Amino acid sequence: MAQLTDKQVIWVGGKGGVGKTTVSSALALLAAGRNKRVLLVSTDPAHSLSDAFARQIGDSITRLAPNLDALEIDPDQEVQRHLEQVTRQLQRFTRPEMYGEIERQMRLTRQSPGAQEAALLERIAHTIELGQQHYDLVIFDTAPTGHTLRLLSLPEAIAAWTQGLLKANERSEKLGAVLEHLTPKAGRDIDNPFDDPAEHATAGMDPRNKEIANTLLTRQRLLQRTREILLDQQRTALLFVLTPEKLPILETRRAVASLQAEKLPLAGLVINRILPESADGEFLAQRRAQEHKHLQEITQRFADLPLFRLPLQPTDIEGLSGLEQMAARLQQAGL
């Protein structure tokens, strides 16, 4: 029987504080125990993976257990790396006296809306490619709904930018041909300078536009490959974590609706921190009665999705030993 850990990419999402990192980490250990080579990736700037495993990880691949490596992507570092690359590209086509202005513009861009997300999305795409080459499974912790949806739309956006650049360059070349024809010293006639057949996308471009176009085309192809993986239910699964409480249920409802509208492969919901029946006392009895109503709502509202139930634990889950016990509970829950 096929298991969730047979996928190539798993995205674990959910509202903050519901236990995404714990579930992601335990799921990674579960897969590693099934002889899968696993890369566990966090995009959370708070470095929650390091906290979960009680050891330093950081922005370089770190071995945590047999078959399990981890990586914490720092969004701020991604923006800095991305802007430094853009600055170097611009400086190759600019006079030295303009370098100061370029650097000023890059500083402003760093604070602009979407700069961090654009850099992070490209890093995620590259990480998936890395996973395809060296691992059986890549698990992303804290992959927000918005990021996933934008990864789907970015190939079209970059395609539009690229085609706009190519068309602008083509128009510029044809206008130049017209002007050359109108110049007395041209020495030749052009019946219709707009009838020239289109050549290869970047053929005849000046070096600056050619490099920009090639950069956009390379990025477009990368993100298109990522999109294909995201939409492939044989290779990809999205798993949402929630607790039996009002706000996580509402947020999960919105996220599931958005992702289902895009026909993304949702593998189910992990209902975390359910009060065990053995918990006693009047206070906990009241909590359990309220929780029972929320569990009924989850069962009814998400009837078309598999549900995996995890009980609340008496202590915090941390370190390799605690996460291995959590992995065993995930397996008992049906994952």
Side-chain angles (χ1 to χ4, degrees):
M1 181 177 178
Q3 297 174 311
L4 181 64
T5 50
D6 291 333
K7 304 292 185 182
Q8 295 178 15
V9 180
I10 298 175
W11 305 78
V12 181
K15 183 176 173 61
V18 297
K20 294 188 301 295
T21 297
T22 301
V23 170
S24 301
S25 302
L27 185 62
L29 282 167
L30 179 62
R34 293 171 175 170
N35 293 320
K36 304 289 185 181
R37 294 169 300 164
V38 184
L39 178 62
L40 176 60
V41 182
S42 174
T43 59
D44 185 351
H47 305 308
S48 49
L49 282 186
S50 291
D51 296 334
F53 283 91
R55 58 170 298 183
Q56 187 64 33
I57 297 174
D59 196 4
S60 59
I61 293 177
T62 303
R63 176 58 54 93
L64 297 177
N67 286 334
L68 175 58
D69 293 342
L71 173 68
E72 289 178 328
I73 297 175
D74 188 323
D76 290 331
Q77 288 184 9
E78 285 308 307
V79 173
Q80 183 63 31
R81 188 180 295 120
H82 182 74
L83 293 181
E84 286 175 355
Q85 179 183 359
V86 172
T87 299
R88 288 193 298 270
Q89 289 175 331
L90 289 174
Q91 286 178 342
R92 284 203 294 271
F93 303 105
T94 309
R95 299 188 307 275
E97 57 266 29
M98 294 296 296
Y99 289 180
E101 179 61 20
I102 290 174
E103 292 173 357
R104 188 182 76 85
Q105 292 295 333
M106 290 301 101
R107 286 195 298 271
L108 294 174
T109 300
R110 181 183 178 85
Q111 307 303 324
S112 66
Q116 186 181 89
E117 185 174 60
L120 183 58
L121 290 176
E122 187 170 349
R123 176 67 184 278
I124 288 173
H126 280 296
T127 302
I128 291 175
E129 297 253 298
L130 173 70
Q132 298 285 297
Q133 297 171 19
H134 302 290
Y135 296 90
D136 301 310
L137 172 63
V138 181
I139 298 177
F140 284 95
D141 171 39
T142 65
T145 306
H147 277 178
T148 307
L149 295 177
R150 284 191 255 303
L151 272 172
L152 291 177
S153 62
L154 265 179
E156 283 79 2
I158 291 183
W161 301 335
T162 307
Q163 291 304 315
L165 174 63
L166 296 175
K167 289 183 181 299
N169 185 79
E170 184 182 356
R171 286 194 299 268
S172 176
E173 288 181 351
K174 289 177 177 176
L175 178 58
V178 172
L179 294 176
E180 185 179 359
H181 170 62
L182 295 176
T183 302
K185 294 182 180 180
R188 63 186 179 89
D189 291 329
I190 300 177
D191 292 333
N192 188 346
F194 298 101
D195 276 343
D196 293 338
E199 297 179 355
H200 185 268
T202 60
M205 278 190 168
D206 61 83
R208 177 180 177 275
N209 279 352
K210 186 171 185 177
E211 180 163 345
I212 293 172
N214 282 331
T215 299
L216 289 172
L217 287 168
T218 299
R219 190 167 298 157
Q220 177 188 342
R221 294 181 188 117
L222 168 69
L223 293 170
Q224 183 61 39
R225 291 193 298 271
T226 304
R227 176 195 171 104
E228 291 171 0
I229 293 172
L230 272 175
L231 291 171
D232 187 348
Q233 63 180 353
Q234 299 301 317
R235 294 190 285 175
T236 297
L238 284 83
L239 190 67
F240 267 80
V241 183
L242 74 160
T243 52
E245 299 170 286
K246 182 178 180 179
L247 293 181
I249 291 172
L250 290 174
E251 181 159 326
T252 302
R253 177 186 174 185
R254 289 190 292 268
V256 166
S258 298
L259 296 172
Q260 286 180 329
E262 298 292 336
K263 304 195 183 313
L264 283 159
L266 281 164
L269 308 179
V270 174
I271 311 171
N272 197 20
R273 299 176 187 158
I274 301 173
L275 283 172
E277 292 298 327
S278 59
D280 55 8
E282 181 180 351
F283 175 81
L284 290 179
Q286 292 181 23
R287 290 289 303 179
R288 190 180 294 106
Q290 177 179 283
E291 180 181 271
H292 182 68
K293 295 179 182 178
H294 289 315
L295 288 171
Q296 285 184 320
E297 181 182 358
I298 291 171
T299 302
Q300 294 169 3
R301 192 175 296 281
F302 304 106
D304 58 333
L305 292 173
L307 303 177
F308 309 99
R309 299 168 183 256
L310 295 175
L312 178 68
Q313 299 303 304
T315 60
D316 291 338
I317 300 169
E318 61 179 347
L320 191 58
S321 176
L323 291 171
E324 286 174 339
Q325 294 175 30
M326 184 70 167
R329 286 190 285 272
L330 285 178
Q331 181 161 318
Q332 292 170 2
L335 283 164

